[in-house]
Amino acid sequence: MLELTMATVSGADAGATAGMTMAEAPSEPGAVLRIGRDGAACRLVTPDDWLFVSRVHLEFLCGPDGAWQLTWLRGSQPDPASEVRLLVGEYAQPLGYGTTVPLPHGGSGEIVIQDRTAPRSVNVGFYHEP
């Protein structure tokens, strides 16, 4: 099971937890969770006017072995308007545009989508059950 909790944070709201949304999916091959502005394609949806987030920005996909991976999907623009970081414990890893990384099995952490032009971010906590 992969559990996601998403909060959108803007300027003075930093540290607030109001408006959090959650999604989960079983660790079965082919299971998918997506995050972005498109409510028809994504389980967790960011505000429509937050254009630093693509319509479908992040994809969590469960592989044949039950392990989850995270992909920062390439959008319609050649250069992204955001930065994405994966935080696991003391470890922080910037993700490249279009990059896929494995999530730690039986672990937890956070993915941060940071606007490059304003103090706004989308913070996604994850827990991957062992």
Side-chain angles (χ1 to χ4, degrees):
M1 176 79 65
L2 179 68
E3 299 173 354
L4 302 177
T5 305
M6 183 185 80
T8 54
V9 181
S10 179
D13 297 334
T17 56
M20 293 180 77
T21 55
M22 299 171 65
E24 63 183 29
S27 293
E28 297 173 352
V32 175
L33 289 170
R34 292 184 186 97
I35 297 173
R37 294 187 340 262
D38 184 347
C42 300
R43 289 275 300 276
L44 294 174
V45 181
T46 62
D48 285 341
D49 62 343
W50 283 30
L51 300 180
F52 69 97
V53 177
S54 300
R55 286 182 305 242
V56 182
H57 201 89
L58 299 177
E59 179 179 81
F60 297 82
L61 175 66
C62 187
D65 57 355
W68 287 86
Q69 65 183 26
L70 165 65
T71 301
W72 180 5
L73 300 170
R74 293 188 71 84
S76 60
Q77 301 299 316
D79 295 313
S82 62
E83 297 174 356
V84 177
R85 292 185 315 274
L86 171 64
L87 310 165
V88 178
E90 298 293 318
Y91 178 73
Q93 173 185 354
L95 267 68
Y97 193 38
T99 301
T100 299
V101 297
L103 292 180
H105 191 71
S108 63
E110 183 176 30
I111 297 101
V112 178
I113 304 169
Q114 181 70 51
D115 187 346
R116 287 185 170 169
T117 62
R120 300 183 296 185
S121 67
V122 177
N123 299 21
V124 181
F126 70 88
Y127 175 67
H128 183 193
E129 289 182 351

